[in-house]
Amino acid sequence: MNEGGTVAWVGGASEGRTGASSGAEAQLERSGFAVERIRVDELAGDVTSERPDCLVCDADSCADAVEVVRTVREVDPAVPVVVLAREGDEDLAHRTVAAGATEYVPSTADGALDDAVERAIGRGRPRGDPQRRSQTDRVDEFADVVGHDLRNPLGAVRHRIEMARRTGDDGHLDDALAALDRTGELLSDLTARAREARPASDTERVSLATVARSAWEHVPTGESTLVVVEDRTIAADPKRLTQLLENLFVNAAEHGPGSADEGVEVSVGVDRDGCLYVEDDGLGIPVEDRNAVFQSDYSTAADGTGYGLVSVRRIARAHDWTVEVTESEEGGARFEVRGAEVGDS
């Protein structure tokens, strides 16, 4: 016995069911499926709004079954598509499956369509299940965030080695080794990073100046400079606070300057309200984009991913902090972290 589900039936006619299509749809309903008819000219919108468990393309009443399959795949790659053609057409079968159909059924006899829909839903439901989708999205995003954070110190290594080659100053190699050590720390911390959104339980009072200067040395910041306005203690997980500052520093260095040859001045401090801030004197972030910057697909850099600020927000939430972006007095970007327990230096 199948588990039921919603089946969208796509045919050429806009009126009620007639002929063979009526019998096939009725059989699906008797088998426990809820069948909804969709017009071909409204296919994209209906699939998006209705999100059926399976879609049946009635090839005998559709002008172009292949185009129906392609349209569904563009709108929702996960929804299963069963193509029904009562007379059977080997060429059509190959073309619709190549276009992305889950299954091709050449007959309605002996419950063939029912079985095909049940199989398609069985294969498609895990992909379409919201909880499974959410878990997959979180895993994908985590992998991207980790990759982003590893690129920061590795970029610093590349920069220091290039400087050593140009100048012959071996001191740059010491900085490169320090950045590699930071990479090792990140790799050893992957298990903890997988729990990045979980509460930060291993907190201690750390020096903001010390953590900020250490984070600055770990990432490529080009011609930009760091100013620690004042040293205060912050109750935080030291590693996570370092990651948070690293990502904010990289964001300022990459997006703040007007050109690649320029740098910005990045300031770190705590204001009178106990708000931890990181601000720069660069180009700033438009008001209409300030909420979007924390989304994983937002970046103004040509090779940017946007994952750095996703990580910033996750780390803040893990500490029960909030983070927002506004404008600095110089017109640049100002990130404000509120809720942190701040003490004297």
Side-chain angles (χ1 to χ4, degrees):
M1 182 67 181
N2 68 65
E3 299 177 11
T6 300
V7 176
W9 186 284
V10 183
S14 60
E15 56 273 0
R17 307 170 186 170
T18 59
S21 65
S22 176
E25 292 175 75
Q27 178 58 46
L28 285 174
E29 291 177 335
R30 287 194 295 271
S31 297
F33 299 104
V35 181
E36 305 271 343
R37 178 175 278 274
I38 294 181
R39 291 175 46 172
V40 174
D41 57 355
E42 299 176 352
L43 178 60
D46 285 348
V47 169
T48 300
S49 61
E50 301 298 330
R51 300 190 63 84
D53 294 305
C54 181
L55 185 140
V56 173
C57 173
D58 186 353
D60 294 342
S61 62
C62 287
D64 190 342
V66 175
E67 185 60 29
V68 168
V69 176
R70 287 174 177 163
T71 299
V72 176
R73 282 290 158 261
E74 290 175 359
V75 173
D76 188 341
V79 65
V81 179
V82 174
V83 176
L84 171 65
R86 293 168 192 80
E87 299 301 322
D89 183 333
E90 186 174 347
D91 178 64
L92 180 63
H94 286 307
R95 289 190 293 117
T96 53
V97 171
T102 309
E103 194 161 338
Y104 178 91
V105 181
S107 173
T108 58
D110 301 322
L113 179 61
D114 294 8
D115 291 342
V117 169
E118 184 174 354
R119 286 192 298 271
I121 291 179
R123 290 193 294 267
R125 185 168 280 146
R127 294 195 302 270
D129 178 72
Q131 182 176 0
R132 181 72 60 84
R133 239 187 355 257
S134 176
Q135 291 172 346
T136 301
D137 291 344
R138 285 196 297 270
V139 170
D140 289 344
E141 184 177 75
F142 165 70
D144 289 324
V145 169
V146 169
H148 175 279
D149 284 0
L150 287 176
R151 278 194 295 273
N152 290 341
L154 289 176
V157 172
R158 178 183 293 276
H159 173 70
R160 296 300 184 183
I161 291 176
E162 289 178 352
M163 291 300 296
R165 285 177 174 174
R166 293 177 187 176
T167 66
D169 183 356
D170 289 346
H172 290 293
L173 297 180
D174 293 334
D175 292 334
L177 288 173
L180 283 176
D181 288 341
R182 174 59 181 155
T183 303
E185 291 177 6
L186 284 173
L187 287 171
S188 66
D189 202 35
L190 282 178
T191 301
R193 288 296 309 277
R195 300 176 176 84
E196 189 178 70
R198 295 185 181 182
S201 55
D202 297 330
T203 62
E204 59 185 80
R205 288 200 170 275
V206 296
S207 162
L208 175 60
T210 299
V211 174
R213 292 183 180 120
S214 175
W216 187 264
E217 291 299 320
H218 292 156
V219 295
T221 50
E223 300 301 317
S224 297
T225 57
L226 174 69
V227 175
V228 179
V229 178
E230 62 175 329
D231 189 16
R232 302 286 293 276
T233 62
I234 307 290
D237 179 322
K239 291 182 179 179
R240 293 190 186 186
L241 180 58
T242 300
Q243 291 170 230
L244 182 147
L245 293 176
E246 285 174 349
N247 281 298
L248 290 179
F249 292 160
V250 169
N251 182 77
E254 289 183 348
H255 301 285
S259 71
D261 297 329
E262 298 177 359
V264 294
E265 182 177 275
V266 182
S267 301
V268 179
V270 177
D271 65 18
R272 294 180 180 179
D273 296 330
C275 170
L276 168 64
Y277 65 86
V278 175
E279 64 181 14
D280 61 64
D281 59 358
L283 299 177
I285 299 172
V287 174
E288 61 272 19
D289 292 340
R290 289 177 186 172
N291 287 329
V293 298
F294 294 105
Q295 298 174 7
S296 59
D297 57 352
Y298 179 91
S299 178
T300 58
D303 58 350
T305 63
Y307 292 113
L309 296 181
V310 173
S311 181
V312 167
R313 174 161 281 183
R314 282 175 174 264
I315 294 169
R317 286 175 175 171
H319 286 84
D320 289 329
W321 304 339
T322 61
V323 58
E324 296 179 351
V325 61
T326 182
E327 185 177 61
S328 68
E329 291 185 2
E330 295 79 10
R334 175 183 169 100
F335 288 86
E336 297 182 340
V337 180
R338 299 184 181 275
E341 185 178 336
V342 180
D344 296 329
S345 57

